Amino acid sequence: MAIAAVGIAACDRQPAPREIDNALTAEEIAAGRLTPEVMWKMSRAGSSSLSPDGRTLVYQQTDYDMAENRGATTLWVQDLETKAARRLTDQTSNSSAPRWSADGASIWFLSNRSGSSQVWRMDADGANARQITGASDGEGTGEVEGFGVSPDGGRIWWVQKVHAADRRSRDVHPDLPKSKARIYDDLMARHWDYWDEGDYRHIFVAELGDGLVTGGTDILEGAPYDAPLAPYFDMAEIAWNHAGTMLAYTCKPLTGAAYAVSTDSDIFVYDVASGRTQNICKPLTGRQAQKGEAAVDLAEMVGYDKYPVWSPDDSHIAFLSQRRPGNEADKSRLFVYDCRTAEMRDLTEDFDYNAHNVVWEGNERLWFVAPIEATHQICRVALHDGEVEVVTEGDHDINAFTMAEGRIAAEVTRISMATEFFTVDPADGAMEQLSAINRRVYDAVGLGQVQKRWVTTTDGKQMLVWVILPPDFDPAKKYPTLLYCQGGPQSVVSQSWSYRWNFQLMAAQGYVVVAPNRRGLPSFGQEWLDQISGDYSGQNIRDYLSAIDDVAREPWVDRERMGCVGASYGGYSVYYLAGCHEKRFKAFIAHCGIFNFESMYGETEELFFVNNDYGGSYWDTKNAVAQRSYAHSPHKFVAKWDTPIMIITGEYDFRIPYTQSLQAFTAARLRGLPARLVEFENEAHQVFGPQNSLVWNREFFGWLDQYVKQGGNE
């Protein structure tokens, strides 16, 4: 149940009437403390790309106006030699997704400056911006959500919504145009944060010329499914070959219940000249693609296959593959498909970590990012030997990178640093910071020390736990302490910087934060990751308690003032621990947590997730794993709840529907416990709106301050 953000959908993205001024106030500088208000004044670096000559980085940056409850995204360039940065676009519109032309003379990007999101092109210095897609005489492209220009500059693909199925009552009953019903004969009625009203994302392809591109070929015309995949619609799932003649993309061509229970997406290749499409993951179902030790039975390609990347000579396609059906947390393997022989090879078969962000270096070597022991590092592997080498090291997350002319520019975070850009030496992995986008904030506020701690679990394993101390930490004092429960459930607690669950923000309010990489999290091998499926209430819960008990032995932890917080699966963890914590905690906060397994099974949308993680449906009485899961649903232990609890949810959360939170709130109040429900009517699984976020933080810290820091006293 990935909880990664779908987008900043909750924010008003209308063109800004003025420049955003996010200077810190004199009071904020004098206080020297990270607060929610200060955090929202930080600039957020986004998608980046290194120029073909390896000299210049283009990236997007988003700034927020709290009073107007909106953000503005602009494009910047930074010289790798001088480190000088310059803004190319202004804040009167949003500009994003920058990509260099093959010759480096211009930059393609998305912008809503003409009133809708369209593709634009400008010179590398920001001059001569001109619109590429859009309407002409009332006809043309709709809102463009993503795009890609072929390396030769001759063609373009873009993604936009199309209507491919009738779900609205006014479509089914056209004589009743004012009716407001949705009509379904099969699953899925809704997904993540939207109802299925028959609109899908499709890929369009067109020639590029001197004029406006106003029409194109819908390569999935009439199909009631998405490419790229819902609910994230990641444009990295689509790629031109270098000749500009073929397009590889990810699709899951299933509908209804079959779609809801399956993760079986494949890589498709569309030939522009003929209009034909080939599924390279299942061309010869049930047979081996090619003889040899590395051959793969294509009948086994029944999990997620995503993110195609062509080799420079177009002879191979690299992609990521999860082999086990219905398991979104299976190992993400780096596969290579030979376009000439149809041979499939798993290059990371002996590498016990996931791969992502794959980049070709020539035709013989690939680079990628892997999560390793709660960090993310750059790795490389030769096409023909399969020996993976970890290139970088250190306590950081390298979240993405691009390469050009023997240089690497990477997007890097730490628990104490939001995204900044670094150069990486391909020879030895040495890193040098390139940007300092939020220096003005870091210079003004104090951040806490981050400790890396290894804790022995109840079954004798070693678990990595991050401990974040308050700024100006004094070991002679005692501090209130928070146990952080991670969501996912298979999402690593790494060196990331979050604008929703920020460890440094918690520490800045005077709390010690304990963030364990309990069982079920990636970056510690597949066995550690797999353990949680079918055992939500087992070893990983014991891991949480091992972590907090170990840290609580420190003299600077106030064992009489400890709290427990978490979202999604972490919210489930909070609900479960509320029934078995044995007086450890003074308060709980659960955000969008799973409370009742049986109702959750009937309310959620991606059923492959609950089938894999619960073990199956609640009515399958012969399924021992499933029955154990349902027997340990948190709602069955409410009689043991004895601690104040805050419950937060979003009305558009269809992954863990807000009704789970309502059930928990009802139970807490009828048990007579102090409880508080915070429900956002325009948010989903996460809270993105600027003002909504401030409400979230004020309620969050207000609850903790009252019941943990002050022990329940007003």
Side-chain angles (χ1 to χ4, degrees):
M1 187 181 299
I3 63 173
V6 173
I8 307 179
C11 297
D12 177 8
R13 307 293 276 177
Q14 297 299 314
R18 58 179 175 79
E19 288 286 301
I20 294 173
D21 180 8
N22 271 336
L24 301 185
T25 66
E27 292 78 6
E28 289 169 335
I29 294 173
R33 185 166 66 103
L34 184 64
T35 65
E37 290 79 6
V38 169
M39 188 174 70
W40 272 91
K41 290 184 176 183
M42 296 176 70
S43 299
R44 305 189 188 186
S47 174
S48 65
S49 179
L50 194 57
S51 62
D53 62 7
R55 296 180 179 178
T56 308
L57 186 73
V58 62
Y59 63 91
Q60 68 183 53
Q61 175 179 307
T62 302
D63 295 275
Y64 289 90
D65 187 313
M66 186 58 65
E68 295 187 2
N69 199 38
R70 68 173 180 88
T73 302
T74 53
L75 300 184
W76 294 66
V77 289
Q78 185 162 22
D79 187 285
L80 265 64
E81 296 298 334
T82 67
K83 298 186 179 181
R86 183 168 61 88
R87 197 175 76 180
L88 300 182
T89 62
D90 61 35
Q91 295 178 339
T92 60
S93 61
N94 289 298
S95 299
S96 62
R99 302 181 183 181
W100 293 94
S101 62
D103 61 5
S106 57
I107 297 170
W108 306 84
F109 62 103
L110 283 178
S111 179
N112 64 353
R113 64 186 65 188
S114 63
S116 67
S117 178
Q118 300 295 335
V119 181
W120 286 67
R121 183 177 184 174
M122 62 183 170
D123 295 346
D125 62 0
N128 300 317
R130 55 255 189 221
Q131 189 171 344
I132 303 301
T133 62
S136 176
D137 297 327
E139 295 184 1
T141 63
E143 291 268 350
V144 173
E145 299 188 16
F147 74 98
V149 176
S150 61
D152 65 356
R155 294 188 175 96
I156 185 173
W157 65 259
W158 71 89
V159 171
Q160 69 180 67
K161 283 185 182 180
V162 300
H163 190 68
D166 289 340
R167 306 274 191 257
R168 295 175 292 232
S169 57
R170 61 180 178 269
D171 296 326
V172 179
H173 305 283
D175 59 322
L176 303 172
K178 295 183 179 180
S179 65
K180 293 292 185 180
R182 302 182 182 98
I183 301 171
Y184 303 94
D185 297 306
D186 206 345
L187 304 175
M188 301 163 52
R190 57 187 187 175
H191 201 176
W192 189 255
D193 62 354
Y194 64 93
W195 288 89
D196 179 359
E197 296 187 335
D199 297 324
Y200 298 89
R201 270 76 167 183
H202 280 191
I203 303 169
F204 287 75
V205 174
E207 301 285 335
L208 279 172
D210 294 330
L212 199 66
V213 175
T214 58
T217 300
D218 180 353
I219 69 174
L220 295 101
E221 185 171 6
Y225 34 79
D226 295 292
L229 301 183
Y232 306 120
F233 307 111
D234 190 341
M235 300 303 156
E237 294 178 3
I238 309 169
W240 280 113
N241 70 347
H242 289 77
T245 58
M246 294 185 177
L247 193 68
Y249 64 93
T250 305
C251 189
K252 188 169 82 169
L254 300 171
T255 60
Y259 183 95
V261 300
S262 175
T263 57
D264 189 9
S265 67
D266 292 315
I267 305 298
F268 294 80
V269 175
Y270 172 78
D271 183 275
V272 175
S274 68
R276 287 193 288 266
T277 301
Q278 175 191 4
N279 181 344
I280 69 170
C281 294
K282 294 187 180 69
L284 300 170
T285 301
R287 297 170 56 191
Q288 285 192 339
Q290 186 71 350
K291 63 183 179 180
E293 291 183 357
V296 174
D297 188 339
L298 296 174
E300 297 178 4
M301 309 292 284
V302 289
Y304 276 135
D305 299 307
K306 297 182 178 182
Y307 302 114
V309 187
W310 295 83
S311 62
D313 65 359
D314 292 335
S315 65
H316 293 82
I317 301 174
F319 65 96
L320 302 182
S321 179
Q322 294 179 312
R323 302 288 293 282
R324 291 184 289 181
N327 186 353
E328 68 172 9
D330 188 24
K331 177 184 172 183
S332 184
R333 302 162 173 85
L334 173 53
F335 266 63
V336 172
Y337 171 80
D338 191 318
C339 299
R340 302 158 298 187
T341 66
E343 178 187 5
M344 293 276 196
R345 299 187 65 238
D346 180 354
L347 296 186
T348 55
E349 183 176 3
D350 298 324
F351 185 66
D352 201 18
Y353 303 100
N354 295 330
H356 66 93
N357 196 133
V358 178
V359 176
W360 285 89
E361 181 191 13
N363 298 304
E364 298 298 326
R365 189 156 66 171
L366 298 99
W367 296 67
F368 62 94
V369 170
I372 301 173
E373 290 192 351
T375 66
H376 287 77
Q377 309 294 345
I378 292 179
C379 306
R380 61 187 168 212
V381 60
L383 181 60
H384 296 296
D385 65 22
E387 292 294 326
V388 175
E389 178 186 0
V390 180
V391 178
T392 59
E393 62 180 2
D395 289 339
H396 54 241
D397 278 5
I398 298 177
N399 298 299
F401 70 96
T402 55
M403 297 181 67
E405 291 297 312
R407 305 180 96 170
I408 297 175
E411 301 167 16
V412 181
T413 58
R414 298 191 185 105
I415 288 175
S416 303
M417 182 188 75
T419 299
E420 296 286 356
F421 299 107
F422 282 65
T423 58
V424 181
D425 188 331
D428 59 9
M431 299 171 59
E432 181 182 0
Q433 186 166 344
L434 175 65
S435 66
I437 294 169
N438 284 299
R439 177 179 292 163
R440 61 188 176 83
V441 175
Y442 302 134
D443 287 347
V445 303
L447 299 178
Q449 177 190 354
V450 178
Q451 295 183 347
K452 188 174 187 177
R453 191 182 188 104
W454 291 93
V455 172
T456 302
T457 62
T458 57
D459 60 346
K461 303 282 175 81
Q462 291 296 300
M463 172 176 57
L464 191 155
V465 178
W466 300 113
V467 179
I468 301 88
L469 303 176
D472 301 321
F473 173 75
D474 182 349
K477 296 181 179 179
K478 286 187 176 293
Y479 292 88
T481 300
L482 302 178
L483 172 65
Y484 168 77
C485 300
Q486 174 73 328
Q490 298 96 349
S491 300
V492 61
V493 182
S494 61
Q495 284 283 320
S496 63
W497 175 278
S498 172
Y499 287 98
R500 296 187 303 277
W501 291 82
N502 189 284
F503 298 151
Q504 286 289 358
L505 183 60
M506 297 177 198
Q509 314 315 307
Y511 295 94
V512 170
V513 182
V514 179
N517 276 276
R518 45 86 181 150
R519 222 61 55 96
L521 298 187
S523 79
F524 300 93
Q526 197 65 31
E527 180 182 352
W528 185 275
L529 176 63
D530 285 341
Q531 194 282 330
I532 196 172
S533 296
D535 190 34
Y536 271 24
S537 60
Q539 185 60 51
N540 67 99
I541 295 294
R542 292 190 286 274
D543 288 349
Y544 281 136
L545 297 177
S546 294
I548 191 65
D549 288 349
D550 183 83
V551 178
R553 296 187 186 100
E554 298 290 351
W556 33 265
V557 168
D558 188 342
R559 302 187 69 161
E560 299 302 315
R561 293 189 297 162
M562 297 200 306
C564 178
V565 302
S568 194
Y569 173 82
Y572 154 82
S573 303
V574 167
Y575 291 144
Y576 194 83
L577 286 166
C580 67
H581 69 109
E582 298 179 337
K583 305 292 185 180
R584 285 176 174 86
F585 303 111
K586 296 300 182 183
F588 292 101
I589 299 179
H591 176 110
C592 292
I594 307 169
F595 174 72
N596 183 327
F597 276 24
E598 291 187 8
S599 59
M600 169 68 176
Y601 191 92
E603 292 172 343
T604 194
E605 13 80 292
E606 289 185 349
L607 291 173
F608 62 78
F609 173 79
V610 282
N611 282 337
N612 182 78
D613 275 36
Y614 292 1
S617 61
Y618 58 87
W619 58 80
D620 187 357
T621 57
K622 295 182 180 180
N623 184 330
V625 174
Q627 291 307 308
R628 182 186 182 281
S629 293
Y630 292 104
H632 287 82
S633 174
H635 81 283
K636 295 190 175 182
F637 300 91
V638 168
K640 297 182 178 180
W641 283 18
D642 58 5
T643 306
I645 186 167
M646 170 177 279
I647 296 161
I648 310 174
T649 189
E651 195 168 322
Y652 281 93
D653 185 359
F654 301 149
R655 180 58 48 82
I656 301 178
Y658 70 91
T659 47
Q660 293 285 309
S661 296
L662 294 183
Q663 291 181 61
F665 179 65
T666 298
R669 287 303 300 131
L670 291 181
R671 286 278 300 145
L673 298 174
R676 192 175 183 93
L677 175 68
V678 181
E679 190 268 351
F680 291 93
E681 65 178 77
N682 61 342
E683 300 283 6
H685 200 57
Q686 298 105 346
V687 174
F688 288 111
Q691 293 191 8
N692 282 346
S693 176
L694 284 190
V695 169
W696 188 97
N697 277 284
R698 290 175 182 177
E699 292 290 335
F700 181 89
F701 289 116
W703 187 261
L704 293 177
D705 287 353
Q706 179 178 352
Y707 288 102
V708 177
K709 189 178 290 184
Q710 300 173 21
N713 299 317
E714 294 290 347

